[in-house]
Amino acid sequence: VAVITLFVLALLIIVMVKFNEKANPVPSRTSHNTMIEVVWTIAPILILVVIAVPSFRLLFKELDIPQYEMTVKATGFQWYWGYEYTDEDMGGISFDSLIVADA
């Protein structure tokens, strides 16, 4: 994120220096540039497509739920957590996770 921010800051400074009134006493009278308008419309679309492809791949992998090995029921109480193993072969083990103050 910092690299992108510094890159954008550098571009802004370059544009401010290059296109200020002293460096450009006669401004351009260009009103439309079709190529630039097409590029700044297509470029964000392509960036979003590049980001979307791996995202959708990950979302579809999320639908494949593996077979479980055990079931743990975690219950949140006001100041602690309670855990219970609900599988038949676990024998109904349950315990509470309490915070112990440092001595």
Side-chain angles (χ1 to χ4, degrees):
V1 175
V3 174
I4 295 171
T5 304
L6 292 174
F7 177 69
V8 171
L9 179 65
L11 288 177
L12 283 172
I13 291 171
I14 290 169
V15 167
M16 287 184 335
V17 170
K18 186 174 180 180
F19 297 107
N20 67 8
E21 190 175 357
K22 289 183 227 168
N24 249 348
V26 180
S28 173
R29 297 280 182 199
T30 306
S31 62
H32 295 286
N33 189 333
T34 307
M35 187 59 173
I36 291 177
E37 291 177 10
V38 168
V39 168
W40 74 39
T41 302
I42 300 284
I45 293 171
L46 293 176
I47 291 170
L48 290 175
V49 167
V50 167
I51 292 172
V53 168
S55 299
F56 282 122
R57 194 175 313 145
L58 184 63
L59 282 173
F60 287 127
K61 284 183 181 179
E62 201 175 71
L63 296 176
D64 182 28
I65 300 171
Q67 188 65 25
Y68 65 91
E69 295 180 13
M70 72 172 71
T71 304
V72 179
K73 178 182 175 184
T75 306
F77 296 100
Q78 187 172 4
W79 301 108
Y80 63 95
W81 288 91
Y83 300 97
E84 182 181 349
Y85 293 92
T86 59
D87 291 337
E88 295 85 23
D89 58 342
M90 297 295 282
I93 299 173
S94 64
F95 63 92
D96 294 330
S97 169
L98 302 171
I99 298 174
V100 178
D102 291 336

